[in-house]
Amino acid sequence: ELLTEGYRPGFLQAADIVVLPYRDIDASGVLMTAISAGVPIVATRVGLFAELLEDGKHGRVIPVNDHLALARALEELVQSSELRARIGRQVRALRDALPTWSSIAQDTARMYAEIVSGVVPDERSSAVSPLH
């Protein structure tokens, strides 16, 4: 159904766990959608996954190509609805702490307006992303 009807933004909200076993990646729209859905995440320690997710808090962050660690992480989460609920709350807190696209756009527009007007923005007003 997913392939024939196309991707739906609310799709991941029905999941109990989102698994992202990438070998190499910088950023991921699926990660951001999973965070938006507020579900526990099992991801490899690469790119944005490693920067944004805390192992044990937002799910499990495992080494790349470590199939045993992946199996253990999934087993731990599958077996405990209480753990999934606790981690889900932490993922929702992470979601709520991240800037919205609207606030990022407003910050970017403000920065460009300051540059055009000749005002040199300081670090506080030019911060577009909390990740760097």
Side-chain angles (χ1 to χ4, degrees):
E1 180 180 350
L2 176 64
L3 295 175
T4 59
E5 294 185 25
Y7 177 75
R8 298 177 188 177
F11 172 71
L12 294 178
Q13 290 175 334
D16 291 320
I17 304 165
V18 173
V19 184
L20 305 171
Y22 287 76
R23 292 186 172 123
D24 183 36
I25 195 165
D26 293 322
S28 169
V30 176
L31 171 65
M32 301 313 290
T33 304
I35 291 171
S36 176
V39 297
I41 300 164
V42 175
T44 44
R45 191 173 288 114
V46 294
L48 187 61
F49 302 164
E51 289 181 38
L52 201 55
L53 301 174
E54 285 185 53
D55 185 44
K57 184 174 183 179
H58 305 114
R60 301 294 297 175
V61 182
I62 60 171
V64 173
N65 291 326
D66 189 337
H67 304 96
L68 187 56
L70 176 61
R72 284 186 196 137
L74 290 172
E75 182 178 34
E76 175 185 37
L77 288 165
V78 166
Q79 290 181 351
S80 177
S81 60
E82 182 179 304
L83 179 61
R84 289 192 311 274
R86 180 180 57 79
I87 289 174
R89 287 189 297 273
Q90 294 296 325
V91 173
R92 288 187 294 280
L94 173 62
R95 172 197 64 202
D96 295 343
L98 293 173
T100 64
W101 283 115
S102 177
S103 67
I104 291 170
Q106 290 171 358
D107 289 346
T108 302
R110 183 175 35 257
M111 180 182 69
Y112 282 122
E114 290 173 350
I115 291 170
V116 168
S117 69
V119 174
V120 178
D122 64 18
E123 288 184 27
R124 288 168 296 173
S125 66
S126 65
V128 175
S129 171
L131 304 176
H132 293 104

